[in-house]
Amino acid sequence: MKGYRKYFLNKLLWFLVTLVAAFILNFILPRLMPGDPVAAIVSRLAQGMSNTAGIQAIYEQYAEQFGTNRPMYEQFLLYMRNVFQGDFGFSFSQYPRTVADVIRSSILWTIGLQFPAIIVGWLIGNSLGALAAYRRGSFDKVIMPISIFMSNLPAFGMAVVLLVIFGVSLRWFPTSGGYGFDLIPNFSLKFFWSVFVHYQLPFWSIVLITIGGQAIGMRSMAIYELNADYVKYSRFMGIKDRKIVRYVFRNAMLPQITGLALSVGTMVGGALVAEIIFSYPGLGSTILTAVLGQDYPLISATTLIITIMVLAANFAIEMVYGILDPRIKAAQAD
Amino acid sequence: MKHLLQQISRSGKFVAGFSIFATILLIVLIYPLVVPDPPLEIIGQGTFFEPGIYVNVYDSISAPHYTLNLDEAAEQRIASRFKAEDREAMRGWLVGSGMPESEIDIANTAQLLDQWFANFDPTTRLPGMTNADRNYYIRLNNSIQGLLSTEAAVIAQMNAETAVLEETGTVPQTAYVNVNQVANVRVLPLGTDNFGRDVLTQLVRATGVSLQIGFVAGIIATVIGLALGLVSGYVGGLVDDVIMFITNLFIVIPSFVLLILISFSIGQEQRGAITIAVVIGFTSWVWTARAVRSQVISLRNRDHVNLSKLSGHSIAHIIIRDILPYIASYVIMALILQISSGILAEAGLSILGLGPKTTDVPTLGLMMNWAMIYQAHILGKWWAYFPIIVTIALIAFSMNLMNTGLDQVFNPALRD
């Protein structure tokens, strides 16, 4: 138990360090860029104004509001304090809504869509990969090329293909939105059904993309394990095939879990773009509206939230890994 | 070296991937020589023209006419000018006038027309029919009669002085022109996009630009990753700790988020294709750095490296002569993957509206972005988005095949 606590604390420390680094990056990257962001905002707001003194007044007002006239470290402390209070300021493009409000209305959609989809995709992909490695033959020959091709399809490509086939041609599922545009969110059966129907296409497009990559990874892992000495030894011992497969699967799964932790960020990135294709009311669409509306506070807050989500997911996966991998307990206990 | 190339050329996967990639590259290089039009030139007045051969109508009147007597010509002409709504409306009338619905087949033009002429009577009023409906049916009947006429179309010219139309010729229904003899014919194999631009020309140029972005991004990422990995792995100690700390940070912080943040901060004006490529390169070196480092660590204490050290060679010499050749195969494979993920990253960014600014060249992501904004997928204009997805998938697929092929050559354990 002591070894496990050490592992846990180690990972927690690392999580906090990356979190601070993410904060700093999110704060500093836009400020490193050439050009004065406040000047850019003011020049857009003051379009058509010829009065220099008026523009100057607007500029100073905004500089005061964003605090860009203060020293860098003070700005950073201010930023940290505000973020911890959940205060991201006002959204430019959806004024008078606050950024926190905009994000609150979209974050649940993204979490509800992406995390189940990635987990389901991971499970199906790994099972298929292990099966392909074990059965080989024609099953392998069919599954592998399909997986390779699917993993090469960009997430938005898969989204568009599914949308056109099942949404536009067959009309089985609606093509856009998170629920029917004629409904107001409430706790009625009708609303839940609408959400469920709208959920299907985005969900399966992310699942299918995830399956491809995971199946390929699991297959090569499992093939490698099947050639390991312990498998041969178990065969000589006359242990049942089924039991051997279980050993192999457990061993091959560990690197796949690490792989999931490391690639969850990339997957979320692709899934955000898929959300846009379906106009799903999540963070992906929020980024799009923020970019189109040149909404600086909203972009900054959304990227920070996504980073925190990915880091948290990562941390959670590391925890699961710690429980599953017996070597960690052994190594840390020494 | 020769032996290695031989082995690689025997790997089916590599050869397949390489041929796909080479074909794409050849098309990108040769097509602009054949069709030198600027890719973003707006040629179509209107959106989403269907793929096909566009023949100038004015020129085809003055082109030599030939008479071909083809049996199905009249039938096909009527069938094509007969709209689905008209057929529906005729069915409505026929059912209303007492004909059983099962006897009517609106897809069968000849039978439908026979039934129509046998039953239609402009004076009958069906129950529930408004006056507007009645007039509609009379108009429909007239236009069907017009379709069935066998007279020639008259070509007339307006006399500039008297403003009277003077007949200059007739076009019988059996007249044909040879497409080769019409002065202006434009082939649009993939139609036009939402702005009326030739999709194929655009697609080929966009593929070229996207490949450039991929190459620049891939090379930058690989060079940074290789340099950091080599230094960190070989030098070790504090340098290793610092580099690994940074690398591990950037592995968990999603690079896509960094890309969004940086691209947005750069601003629309400064975002050229190459700038985007550089940004992608600078945010995607982490995997290469980590993998190179672990390989270097396993090589660091090999005998030949120790021997080199004892002989007093400099660090640079050892890294270049004794370590680099051993990881070269890995670095090439990483480069291939970086190129394809760079192309994907650009496409993702462009769909978010953060793609490169364009004045003269498109990228695959921008084309996709335009198609999505103008709802090509909902409107069923497949030629505006599907070729782009296929192109991106083919590039990624070919790169991946090459990579797997190389992997099997370099790691015999993976061979089937």
Side-chain angles (χ1 to χ4, degrees), chain B residues 190-232:
Chain B
L190 292 175
T192 69
D193 71 354
N194 51 294
F195 296 117
R197 301 177 297 208
D198 180 358
V199 173
L200 183 67
T201 308
Q202 233 190 112
L203 182 70
V204 173
R205 297 298 185 86
T207 309
V209 179
S210 283
L211 283 176
Q212 272 173 26
I213 292 178
F215 273 106
V216 172
I219 287 171
I220 290 178
T222 308
V223 167
I224 297 177
L226 181 62
L228 288 180
L230 281 173
V231 171
S232 156

mmCIF file of all heavy atoms in Angstrom, chain B residues 190-232:
data_model
loop_
_atom_site.group_PDB
_atom_site.id
_atom_site.type_symbol
_atom_site.label_atom_id
_atom_site.label_comp_id
_atom_site.label_asym_id
_atom_site.label_seq_id
_atom_site.Cartn_x
_atom_site.Cartn_y
_atom_site.Cartn_z
ATOM 1 N N LEU B 190 -14.719 17.802 -61.700
ATOM 2 C CA LEU B 190 -15.268 17.822 -60.343
ATOM 3 C C LEU B 190 -16.151 19.046 -60.127
ATOM 4 O O LEU B 190 -16.325 19.505 -58.994
ATOM 5 C CB LEU B 190 -14.141 17.800 -59.308
ATOM 6 C CG LEU B 190 -13.350 16.492 -59.242
ATOM 7 C CD1 LEU B 190 -12.191 16.590 -58.284
ATOM 8 C CD2 LEU B 190 -14.255 15.341 -58.828
ATOM 9 N N GLY B 191 -16.672 19.597 -61.205
ATOM 10 C CA GLY B 191 -17.607 20.702 -61.065
ATOM 11 C C GLY B 191 -16.978 21.959 -60.502
ATOM 12 O O GLY B 191 -15.755 22.137 -60.555
ATOM 13 N N THR B 192 -17.802 22.821 -59.942
ATOM 14 C CA THR B 192 -17.285 24.032 -59.312
ATOM 15 C C THR B 192 -17.702 24.073 -57.854
ATOM 16 O O THR B 192 -18.608 23.365 -57.433
ATOM 17 C CB THR B 192 -17.810 25.308 -60.001
ATOM 18 O OG1 THR B 192 -19.203 25.426 -59.725
ATOM 19 C CG2 THR B 192 -17.580 25.282 -61.487
ATOM 20 N N ASP B 193 -17.018 24.919 -57.090
ATOM 21 C CA ASP B 193 -17.317 24.983 -55.653
ATOM 22 C C ASP B 193 -18.298 26.113 -55.371
ATOM 23 O O ASP B 193 -18.925 26.662 -56.275
ATOM 24 C CB ASP B 193 -16.019 25.126 -54.854
ATOM 25 C CG ASP B 193 -15.398 26.489 -55.023
ATOM 26 O OD1 ASP B 193 -15.908 27.288 -55.838
ATOM 27 O OD2 ASP B 193 -14.404 26.763 -54.338
ATOM 28 N N ASN B 194 -18.401 26.473 -54.093
ATOM 29 C CA ASN B 194 -19.401 27.458 -53.698
ATOM 30 C C ASN B 194 -19.175 28.836 -54.305
ATOM 31 O O ASN B 194 -20.102 29.629 -54.407
ATOM 32 C CB ASN B 194 -19.431 27.548 -52.181
ATOM 33 C CG ASN B 194 -18.057 27.757 -51.601
ATOM 34 O OD1 ASN B 194 -17.199 26.877 -51.701
ATOM 35 N ND2 ASN B 194 -17.813 28.904 -51.039
ATOM 36 N N PHE B 195 -17.927 29.146 -54.673
ATOM 37 C CA PHE B 195 -17.658 30.441 -55.282
ATOM 38 C C PHE B 195 -17.626 30.352 -56.801
ATOM 39 O O PHE B 195 -17.311 31.328 -57.469
ATOM 40 C CB PHE B 195 -16.326 31.010 -54.800
ATOM 41 C CG PHE B 195 -16.292 31.310 -53.334
ATOM 42 C CD1 PHE B 195 -15.414 30.637 -52.495
ATOM 43 C CD2 PHE B 195 -17.124 32.270 -52.789
ATOM 44 C CE1 PHE B 195 -15.380 30.917 -51.144
ATOM 45 C CE2 PHE B 195 -17.092 32.549 -51.439
ATOM 46 C CZ PHE B 195 -16.218 31.876 -50.615
ATOM 47 N N GLY B 196 -17.893 29.168 -57.367
ATOM 48 C CA GLY B 196 -17.830 29.002 -58.811
ATOM 49 C C GLY B 196 -16.424 28.791 -59.331
ATOM 50 O O GLY B 196 -16.096 29.201 -60.437
ATOM 51 N N ARG B 197 -15.561 28.149 -58.527
ATOM 52 C CA ARG B 197 -14.195 27.886 -58.967
ATOM 53 C C ARG B 197 -14.055 26.411 -59.301
ATOM 54 O O ARG B 197 -14.699 25.566 -58.685
ATOM 55 C CB ARG B 197 -13.213 28.271 -57.861
ATOM 56 C CG ARG B 197 -13.343 29.724 -57.477
ATOM 57 C CD ARG B 197 -12.424 30.086 -56.351
ATOM 58 N NE ARG B 197 -12.736 29.363 -55.146
ATOM 59 C CZ ARG B 197 -12.487 29.839 -53.924
ATOM 60 N NH1 ARG B 197 -11.943 31.018 -53.784
ATOM 61 N NH2 ARG B 197 -12.781 29.144 -52.870
ATOM 62 N N ASP B 198 -13.185 26.124 -60.278
ATOM 63 C CA ASP B 198 -12.981 24.751 -60.731
ATOM 64 C C ASP B 198 -12.402 23.920 -59.576
ATOM 65 O O ASP B 198 -11.296 24.181 -59.109
ATOM 66 C CB ASP B 198 -12.026 24.772 -61.929
ATOM 67 C CG ASP B 198 -11.765 23.391 -62.472
ATOM 68 O OD1 ASP B 198 -12.290 22.424 -61.893
ATOM 69 O OD2 ASP B 198 -11.049 23.281 -63.475
ATOM 70 N N VAL B 199 -13.147 22.894 -59.128
ATOM 71 C CA VAL B 199 -12.714 22.139 -57.952
ATOM 72 C C VAL B 199 -11.447 21.342 -58.224
ATOM 73 O O VAL B 199 -10.544 21.310 -57.394
ATOM 74 C CB VAL B 199 -13.840 21.205 -57.444
ATOM 75 C CG1 VAL B 199 -13.331 20.314 -56.334
ATOM 76 C CG2 VAL B 199 -15.010 22.007 -56.945
ATOM 77 N N LEU B 200 -11.340 20.724 -59.426
ATOM 78 C CA LEU B 200 -10.181 19.869 -59.666
ATOM 79 C C LEU B 200 -8.891 20.683 -59.643
ATOM 80 O O LEU B 200 -7.911 20.310 -58.995
ATOM 81 C CB LEU B 200 -10.328 19.126 -60.997
ATOM 82 C CG LEU B 200 -9.171 18.166 -61.259
ATOM 83 C CD1 LEU B 200 -9.198 17.017 -60.268
ATOM 84 C CD2 LEU B 200 -9.194 17.634 -62.666
ATOM 85 N N THR B 201 -8.887 21.819 -60.363
ATOM 86 C CA THR B 201 -7.690 22.660 -60.389
ATOM 87 C C THR B 201 -7.313 23.076 -58.969
ATOM 88 O O THR B 201 -6.149 23.016 -58.565
ATOM 89 C CB THR B 201 -7.956 23.916 -61.240
ATOM 90 O OG1 THR B 201 -8.467 23.505 -62.487
ATOM 91 C CG2 THR B 201 -6.700 24.715 -61.437
ATOM 92 N N GLN B 202 -8.338 23.470 -58.221
ATOM 93 C CA GLN B 202 -8.099 23.888 -56.855
ATOM 94 C C GLN B 202 -7.547 22.754 -56.015
ATOM 95 O O GLN B 202 -6.616 22.939 -55.245
ATOM 96 C CB GLN B 202 -9.446 24.307 -56.267
ATOM 97 C CG GLN B 202 -9.446 25.675 -55.668
ATOM 98 C CD GLN B 202 -10.733 25.891 -54.919
ATOM 99 O OE1 GLN B 202 -10.730 25.992 -53.725
ATOM 100 N NE2 GLN B 202 -11.836 25.932 -55.623
ATOM 101 N N LEU B 203 -8.143 21.556 -56.205
ATOM 102 C CA LEU B 203 -7.751 20.407 -55.391
ATOM 103 C C LEU B 203 -6.286 20.054 -55.617
ATOM 104 O O LEU B 203 -5.540 19.797 -54.676
ATOM 105 C CB LEU B 203 -8.648 19.214 -55.733
ATOM 106 C CG LEU B 203 -8.394 17.945 -54.944
ATOM 107 C CD1 LEU B 203 -8.833 18.114 -53.508
ATOM 108 C CD2 LEU B 203 -9.113 16.765 -55.553
ATOM 109 N N VAL B 204 -5.878 20.073 -56.899
ATOM 110 C CA VAL B 204 -4.494 19.696 -57.197
ATOM 111 C C VAL B 204 -3.527 20.691 -56.577
ATOM 112 O O VAL B 204 -2.544 20.316 -55.925
ATOM 113 C CB VAL B 204 -4.294 19.605 -58.717
ATOM 114 C CG1 VAL B 204 -2.837 19.390 -59.040
ATOM 115 C CG2 VAL B 204 -5.129 18.496 -59.294
ATOM 116 N N ARG B 205 -3.815 21.992 -56.745
ATOM 117 C CA ARG B 205 -2.921 22.987 -56.155
ATOM 118 C C ARG B 205 -2.934 22.895 -54.635
ATOM 119 O O ARG B 205 -1.903 23.017 -53.985
ATOM 120 C CB ARG B 205 -3.345 24.396 -56.556
ATOM 121 C CG ARG B 205 -3.270 24.648 -58.030
ATOM 122 C CD ARG B 205 -1.836 24.515 -58.503
ATOM 123 N NE ARG B 205 -1.738 24.878 -59.898
ATOM 124 C CZ ARG B 205 -1.571 26.132 -60.323
ATOM 125 N NH1 ARG B 205 -1.465 27.110 -59.469
ATOM 126 N NH2 ARG B 205 -1.501 26.392 -61.607
ATOM 127 N N ALA B 206 -4.137 22.689 -54.071
ATOM 128 C CA ALA B 206 -4.252 22.612 -52.613
ATOM 129 C C ALA B 206 -3.451 21.428 -52.078
ATOM 130 O O ALA B 206 -2.784 21.534 -51.053
ATOM 131 C CB ALA B 206 -5.710 22.477 -52.207
ATOM 132 N N THR B 207 -3.496 20.304 -52.820
ATOM 133 C CA THR B 207 -2.712 19.147 -52.395
ATOM 134 C C THR B 207 -1.230 19.509 -52.355
ATOM 135 O O THR B 207 -0.512 19.154 -51.425
ATOM 136 C CB THR B 207 -2.942 17.970 -53.353
ATOM 137 O OG1 THR B 207 -4.341 17.781 -53.504
ATOM 138 C CG2 THR B 207 -2.335 16.710 -52.829
ATOM 139 N N GLY B 208 -0.790 20.245 -53.384
ATOM 140 C CA GLY B 208 0.606 20.676 -53.422
ATOM 141 C C GLY B 208 0.960 21.518 -52.208
ATOM 142 O O GLY B 208 1.967 21.267 -51.528
ATOM 143 N N VAL B 209 0.110 22.503 -51.918
ATOM 144 C CA VAL B 209 0.406 23.393 -50.780
ATOM 145 C C VAL B 209 0.373 22.602 -49.477
ATOM 146 O O VAL B 209 1.236 22.767 -48.614
ATOM 147 C CB VAL B 209 -0.601 24.562 -50.734
ATOM 148 C CG1 VAL B 209 -0.306 25.455 -49.548
ATOM 149 C CG2 VAL B 209 -0.548 25.356 -52.010
ATOM 150 N N SER B 210 -0.619 21.709 -49.340
ATOM 151 C CA SER B 210 -0.709 20.926 -48.109
ATOM 152 C C SER B 210 0.511 20.026 -47.937
ATOM 153 O O SER B 210 1.008 19.853 -46.826
ATOM 154 C CB SER B 210 -1.981 20.085 -48.100
ATOM 155 O OG SER B 210 -3.089 20.884 -47.794
ATOM 156 N N LEU B 211 0.988 19.451 -49.062
ATOM 157 C CA LEU B 211 2.190 18.621 -48.967
ATOM 158 C C LEU B 211 3.376 19.464 -48.512
ATOM 159 O O LEU B 211 4.184 19.040 -47.688
ATOM 160 C CB LEU B 211 2.501 17.960 -50.312
ATOM 161 C CG LEU B 211 1.639 16.755 -50.675
ATOM 162 C CD1 LEU B 211 1.982 16.269 -52.069
ATOM 163 C CD2 LEU B 211 1.866 15.631 -49.679
ATOM 164 N N GLN B 212 3.474 20.686 -49.056
ATOM 165 C CA GLN B 212 4.551 21.581 -48.622
ATOM 166 C C GLN B 212 4.465 21.830 -47.126
ATOM 167 O O GLN B 212 5.472 21.749 -46.414
ATOM 168 C CB GLN B 212 4.434 22.930 -49.331
ATOM 169 C CG GLN B 212 5.139 22.996 -50.665
ATOM 170 C CD GLN B 212 4.825 24.314 -51.358
ATOM 171 O OE1 GLN B 212 4.512 25.309 -50.712
ATOM 172 N NE2 GLN B 212 4.889 24.317 -52.667
ATOM 173 N N ILE B 213 3.239 22.141 -46.673
ATOM 174 C CA ILE B 213 3.056 22.387 -45.241
ATOM 175 C C ILE B 213 3.499 21.164 -44.452
ATOM 176 O O ILE B 213 4.234 21.274 -43.469
ATOM 177 C CB ILE B 213 1.578 22.723 -44.935
ATOM 178 C CG1 ILE B 213 1.216 24.072 -45.549
ATOM 179 C CG2 ILE B 213 1.321 22.741 -43.435
ATOM 180 C CD1 ILE B 213 -0.229 24.470 -45.345
ATOM 181 N N GLY B 214 3.071 19.980 -44.925
ATOM 182 C CA GLY B 214 3.447 18.745 -44.241
ATOM 183 C C GLY B 214 4.951 18.569 -44.185
ATOM 184 O O GLY B 214 5.507 18.246 -43.137
ATOM 185 N N PHE B 215 5.629 18.806 -45.318
ATOM 186 C CA PHE B 215 7.079 18.614 -45.361
ATOM 187 C C PHE B 215 7.790 19.586 -44.429
ATOM 188 O O PHE B 215 8.656 19.201 -43.643
ATOM 189 C CB PHE B 215 7.609 18.791 -46.791
ATOM 190 C CG PHE B 215 7.561 17.521 -47.570
ATOM 191 C CD1 PHE B 215 6.625 17.320 -48.566
ATOM 192 C CD2 PHE B 215 8.459 16.497 -47.292
ATOM 193 C CE1 PHE B 215 6.560 16.133 -49.264
ATOM 194 C CE2 PHE B 215 8.416 15.317 -47.988
ATOM 195 C CZ PHE B 215 7.457 15.134 -48.984
ATOM 196 N N VAL B 216 7.409 20.868 -44.514
ATOM 197 C CA VAL B 216 8.078 21.865 -43.671
ATOM 198 C C VAL B 216 7.850 21.527 -42.205
ATOM 199 O O VAL B 216 8.796 21.484 -41.401
ATOM 200 C CB VAL B 216 7.561 23.284 -44.007
ATOM 201 C CG1 VAL B 216 8.099 24.287 -43.003
ATOM 202 C CG2 VAL B 216 7.958 23.664 -45.411
ATOM 203 N N ALA B 217 6.571 21.258 -41.854
ATOM 204 C CA ALA B 217 6.251 20.944 -40.462
ATOM 205 C C ALA B 217 6.995 19.688 -40.024
ATOM 206 O O ALA B 217 7.590 19.648 -38.940
ATOM 207 C CB ALA B 217 4.746 20.751 -40.290
ATOM 208 N N GLY B 218 6.990 18.654 -40.876
ATOM 209 C CA GLY B 218 7.635 17.391 -40.528
ATOM 210 C C GLY B 218 9.125 17.550 -40.332
ATOM 211 O O GLY B 218 9.700 17.021 -39.378
ATOM 212 N N ILE B 219 9.768 18.314 -41.247
ATOM 213 C CA ILE B 219 11.225 18.463 -41.143
ATOM 214 C C ILE B 219 11.583 19.261 -39.887
ATOM 215 O O ILE B 219 12.482 18.876 -39.134
ATOM 216 C CB ILE B 219 11.782 19.118 -42.426
ATOM 217 C CG1 ILE B 219 11.734 18.090 -43.556
ATOM 218 C CG2 ILE B 219 13.202 19.610 -42.207
ATOM 219 C CD1 ILE B 219 12.034 18.639 -44.911
ATOM 220 N N ILE B 220 10.823 20.340 -39.632
ATOM 221 C CA ILE B 220 11.125 21.128 -38.428
ATOM 222 C C ILE B 220 10.961 20.263 -37.178
ATOM 223 O O ILE B 220 11.840 20.213 -36.317
ATOM 224 C CB ILE B 220 10.201 22.357 -38.352
ATOM 225 C CG1 ILE B 220 10.583 23.350 -39.434
ATOM 226 C CG2 ILE B 220 10.287 23.021 -36.977
ATOM 227 C CD1 ILE B 220 9.712 24.571 -39.479
ATOM 228 N N ALA B 221 9.828 19.546 -37.110
ATOM 229 C CA ALA B 221 9.567 18.723 -35.930
ATOM 230 C C ALA B 221 10.647 17.664 -35.772
ATOM 231 O O ALA B 221 11.148 17.430 -34.666
ATOM 232 C CB ALA B 221 8.194 18.067 -36.038
ATOM 233 N N THR B 222 11.049 17.032 -36.884
ATOM 234 C CA THR B 222 12.033 15.964 -36.786
ATOM 235 C C THR B 222 13.396 16.515 -36.389
ATOM 236 O O THR B 222 14.097 15.913 -35.568
ATOM 237 C CB THR B 222 12.126 15.212 -38.119
ATOM 238 O OG1 THR B 222 10.817 14.820 -38.502
ATOM 239 C CG2 THR B 222 12.995 13.999 -37.998
ATOM 240 N N VAL B 223 13.769 17.667 -36.959
ATOM 241 C CA VAL B 223 15.082 18.232 -36.629
ATOM 242 C C VAL B 223 15.141 18.611 -35.144
ATOM 243 O O VAL B 223 16.095 18.247 -34.440
ATOM 244 C CB VAL B 223 15.381 19.461 -37.521
ATOM 245 C CG1 VAL B 223 16.566 20.239 -36.981
ATOM 246 C CG2 VAL B 223 15.659 19.013 -38.942
ATOM 247 N N ILE B 224 14.091 19.293 -34.665
ATOM 248 C CA ILE B 224 14.089 19.669 -33.244
ATOM 249 C C ILE B 224 14.107 18.422 -32.366
ATOM 250 O O ILE B 224 14.902 18.297 -31.434
ATOM 251 C CB ILE B 224 12.844 20.517 -32.902
ATOM 252 C CG1 ILE B 224 12.859 21.824 -33.693
ATOM 253 C CG2 ILE B 224 12.796 20.825 -31.407
ATOM 254 C CD1 ILE B 224 11.627 22.670 -33.455
ATOM 255 N N GLY B 225 13.221 17.474 -32.706
ATOM 256 C CA GLY B 225 13.124 16.257 -31.889
ATOM 257 C C GLY B 225 14.426 15.480 -31.894
ATOM 258 O O GLY B 225 14.893 15.008 -30.847
ATOM 259 N N LEU B 226 15.047 15.381 -33.075
ATOM 260 C CA LEU B 226 16.298 14.629 -33.203
ATOM 261 C C LEU B 226 17.391 15.301 -32.381
ATOM 262 O O LEU B 226 18.098 14.641 -31.610
ATOM 263 C CB LEU B 226 16.689 14.569 -34.681
ATOM 264 C CG LEU B 226 17.957 13.811 -35.023
ATOM 265 C CD1 LEU B 226 17.806 12.360 -34.630
ATOM 266 C CD2 LEU B 226 18.265 13.911 -36.507
ATOM 267 N N ALA B 227 17.514 16.631 -32.522
ATOM 268 C CA ALA B 227 18.576 17.351 -31.814
ATOM 269 C C ALA B 227 18.398 17.193 -30.304
ATOM 270 O O ALA B 227 19.340 16.810 -29.592
ATOM 271 C CB ALA B 227 18.552 18.823 -32.206
ATOM 272 N N LEU B 228 17.182 17.449 -29.826
ATOM 273 C CA LEU B 228 16.952 17.353 -28.383
ATOM 274 C C LEU B 228 17.154 15.921 -27.894
ATOM 275 O O LEU B 228 17.757 15.697 -26.840
ATOM 276 C CB LEU B 228 15.541 17.835 -28.038
ATOM 277 C CG LEU B 228 15.322 19.344 -28.153
ATOM 278 C CD1 LEU B 228 13.887 19.697 -27.797
ATOM 279 C CD2 LEU B 228 16.279 20.095 -27.240
ATOM 280 N N GLY B 229 16.650 14.955 -28.668
ATOM 281 C CA GLY B 229 16.778 13.557 -28.261
ATOM 282 C C GLY B 229 18.231 13.126 -28.186
ATOM 283 O O GLY B 229 18.656 12.458 -27.234
ATOM 284 N N LEU B 230 19.026 13.520 -29.185
ATOM 285 C CA LEU B 230 20.437 13.142 -29.213
ATOM 286 C C LEU B 230 21.173 13.747 -28.022
ATOM 287 O O LEU B 230 21.879 13.043 -27.290
ATOM 288 C CB LEU B 230 21.087 13.641 -30.507
ATOM 289 C CG LEU B 230 20.842 12.813 -31.770
ATOM 290 C CD1 LEU B 230 21.410 13.520 -32.972
ATOM 291 C CD2 LEU B 230 21.483 11.440 -31.615
ATOM 292 N N VAL B 231 20.991 15.047 -27.823
ATOM 293 C CA VAL B 231 21.703 15.725 -26.742
ATOM 294 C C VAL B 231 21.288 15.128 -25.404
ATOM 295 O O VAL B 231 22.127 14.743 -24.582
ATOM 296 C CB VAL B 231 21.409 17.239 -26.782
ATOM 297 C CG1 VAL B 231 21.967 17.912 -25.541
ATOM 298 C CG2 VAL B 231 22.007 17.842 -28.033
ATOM 299 N N SER B 232 19.975 15.027 -25.219
ATOM 300 C CA SER B 232 19.460 14.551 -23.950
ATOM 301 C C SER B 232 19.914 13.119 -23.683
ATOM 302 O O SER B 232 20.319 12.784 -22.570
ATOM 303 C CB SER B 232 17.945 14.674 -23.991
ATOM 304 O OG SER B 232 17.350 13.811 -23.116
#
